[in-house]
Amino acid sequence: MERKFLETLEYPKVLAQLAQYTSFSASRELALHLDVTSDLAEAERRQRETSEARSLLGSNAEVSLGGVRDVRPLVERALRGLRLLPQELLDIQATLEAGRPLSRTLGRMGSQVPLLAGLAARIQPCTHLINEIKRCITPRGEVADAASPELAHVRAQLALARERLLERLERFITGADTAPCLQEPLITQRSGRYVIPVKAEYRNRIPGIVHDESASGATLFIEPLSAVALNNELREWQLREEREVARVLDRLTGLVAAEGEAIVSNVEILAQLDLIFARARYAQALRATQPRLVEFGPRVPLEGQDGVYHPGVHLRLLRARHPLLPADVVVPIDVQMALGSRGYFIIVITGPNTGGKTVALKTIGLLCLMAQAGLHIPAAEGSTLCVFDGIYADIGDEQSIEQSLSTFSSHMGNIVHILARATERSLVLLDELGAGTDPIEGSALARAVLSELLRRGITTVATTHHPELKIYAQTQPGVVNASVEFDAETLAPTYELTIGMPGRSNAFAIAERLGLPRHIVAAARQMVDPSLLQSDEFLREVQELRDRAERRLQEAEKAAQAARAEREELAAQLAALAQEKGEILEQARLQARQELEELRREIARARSELARARAADPAAAPLRQAVLQAEAVAEAIDRLTDEPHLPGAARQLRPGDLVRVPGLNARGVLTAVENGHAEVQAGGMRLRLLLSELEPLEEPVAEPAAAPAQRPGVAAARAQPELHLRGLRADEAEAQLLRYLDEAFLAGLRQVRIVHGKGSGVLRRLVRQELSHHPLVVAVRAAPAHEGGEGVTIAELAVS
């Protein structure tokens, strides 16, 4: 991509905004020089990196890069043998340590963020260097005593020498003979030597070396002769300390040089990761989405155009916004190129000045650049783009009043350059095509340029004021009109882009509304070619018909939504009735079971009495007959209350039941039931259906091969991977959660989903607090956005 066209589309301004989200200078430089790739695979990889980073930011994972600095210049100095200072060594240590938590976080979540985890895996630990710097340099930036045995010895001797010297001077300033000669009873330093302040008039009373005097000359700072030897000894130990400190710093500098390649590599990887997270934060700030990037489709001959082919370009921007304009001010636009032999790949935008034509043009170009740079774009989900090998733009100041030959020459120079470089996989953006010269000649040149772009199959968006181009776009296959509208009532542009409709002239309407006498406006109308006025009137009628069709379409959509809502409400009512019926039958079955158990106890007592009676006893015959009849009744009740033999409509389905989905010819396990709806796990799919659409199964459903083995004695119903807590009170939810975790662990599950909903956040906080302290839970995170987001918490259980 040529720098000139990037600046025309204000791409550097986007990069300046992106750089504000970086954490240190190296990543800031990467952000300011983020290139635009023309390779589809590279662009898709960058988009996935940005999406992975956004998912991490949304899960509140620890992704901070605080403390990282660009220490590459320090490594270069170390490689040249220049000694590093303690604070510089601490900067290197902090940078190396800052990558550790991020590397651990990304490594732990590798299955969710494979691209980021792969980058983080390349970070080298440099453990020995970190430990040596920690051991030798204190957090205050001083060389520690433990840096070497020699330094510890020297500093011990230095402390003793200082102590002896200070004791000697202390006795001196408190002596009866010398105390009156002192300006103050204190010990100070001058030129690295310990001295005492003596009054100038007593200089001859204190034999010693004068090192300094006060500004007034009233005080002399004298080193007594009796302290000279001790001062010399102290200075000798200080010099030895300096030499040993230098040796320690040289050794650490050598270690930095030895690890130089790894340190530089780590800084570059951290800069790349920080840039990716900056792209994610920028996307959040823009409320941007990931575009779908695709290859160009097959070239297709255009219907009605001999030798002209549609390049197969995919360009579909939904609710697109200019990223440099305030989101609450800019009007979103929809832009789409139509594929096929009757499609189009050149759009001609007409409309009034200040109507938003240039903003629309820049929005298209800038969003394509952002997508190919790996940035999410401020547009709605479903936006689709091809990766262009070049994006060329000739955009001038459409508000300029003076249109001189030099301006026209500049535009023509740009167009000549663009025509020489553009291919059928390029995007060309031309603002005010044919402006700046005689209208007739300018219009002819504009049509000729568009015809050349059409012949070569180059995707183009152009703006113009020439009315002839409206007719050209209307009649040329492969070209389509578009317009930005103007409200004649408010005298203000709407900034809305309409594909398929050319812009209308508003000069007469505006002039009349501003108060120009009607007879002047009428005279002006008579001076205009009637065919042009008729075409404008025709466009007005077409616009009215289009608006009416849109209103009717909206009314139809509202009616369809109301019908869907009513259908869902009826389905919910039917499901509620079926559930109530099932509950009644279930209650009756349980009551029958209780009575059956009581009957069986009575039969057991009767059999005990028969066992005690003699077989030949005639009195036992009636009792024996009664027992046989009671057993027959018990067997009949047992058959009636045996749940698998109840009709499907009469049996209440519960989570854990085996079910069949007749509409899909699929089998699975019912995992959740709520408000007449059911959730079924069928193999690797999770289905959301109406409860009435399911049928109970008596035979078991084959378990997937990869399912975790359950421990003997654990019921399948207790091994479901999901728990629903929505609608429960906090105490109920807590009890169910704790019981469920025990069952899931015993069942051998390694990961479970807790569905608590979003709501006020009370259940979410309760669930995550319990999970974070539970001894069986090793990791907790929010589900990805497409699986429930903040309404679902995923817990990883310890391996039993």
Side-chain angles (χ1 to χ4, degrees), residues 204-332:
N204 295 324
R205 295 274 300 273
I206 306 293
I209 303 170
V210 178
H211 286 277
D212 198 4
E213 68 176 353
S214 65
S216 65
T219 304
L220 300 177
F221 295 93
I222 297 177
E223 178 183 358
L225 289 177
S226 60
V228 170
L230 292 175
N231 251 324
N232 289 341
E233 181 187 6
L234 177 66
R235 183 58 184 155
E236 289 174 2
W237 286 113
Q238 287 175 338
L239 292 174
R240 288 185 63 177
E241 179 195 28
E242 290 174 5
R243 287 194 296 271
E244 184 60 20
V245 165
R247 193 187 68 78
V248 169
L249 294 178
D250 287 341
R251 185 176 65 83
L252 292 176
T253 300
L255 291 177
V256 170
E259 295 279 10
E261 186 176 344
I263 296 171
V264 170
S265 174
N266 284 359
V267 170
E268 292 173 350
I269 292 170
L270 291 174
Q272 290 180 49
L273 287 169
D274 190 44
L275 173 62
I276 293 170
F277 282 106
R279 299 201 309 251
R281 295 187 184 95
Y282 186 42
Q284 288 180 329
L286 288 179
R287 302 199 302 275
T289 63
Q290 178 181 347
R292 189 169 70 97
L293 301 180
V294 297
E295 288 276 11
F296 277 78
R299 295 171 73 245
V300 177
L302 282 178
E303 198 173 285
Q305 285 276 21
D306 293 337
V308 178
Y309 289 82
H310 192 297
V313 63
H314 293 264
L315 195 158
R316 183 170 184 253
L317 293 172
L318 305 176
R319 309 292 294 168
R321 294 174 280 111
H322 195 291
L324 300 179
L325 297 177
D328 56 344
V329 173
V330 64
V331 177

Side-chain angles (χ1 to χ4, degrees), residues 62 64-66 68 93-108 120 123-131 134 266 270:
E62 178 58 43
S64 172
L65 281 172
V68 177
Q93 173 199 329
T95 299
L96 293 175
E97 288 186 317
R100 286 178 167 181
L102 180 61
S103 181
R104 285 195 296 268
T105 298
L106 296 179
R108 188 174 63 250
I123 296 176
Q124 301 181 51
C126 300
T127 306
H128 177 64
L129 176 58
I130 293 173
N131 291 339
K134 273 186 176 180
N266 284 359
L270 291 174

Side-chain angles (χ1 to χ4, degrees), residues 149-168:
E150 175 64 15
L151 184 59
H153 169 69
V154 168
R155 284 185 173 171
Q157 294 302 316
L158 181 63
L160 290 174
R162 183 180 289 107
E163 184 179 352
R164 287 195 297 269
L165 173 59
L166 293 177
E167 286 178 359
R168 176 69 59 85

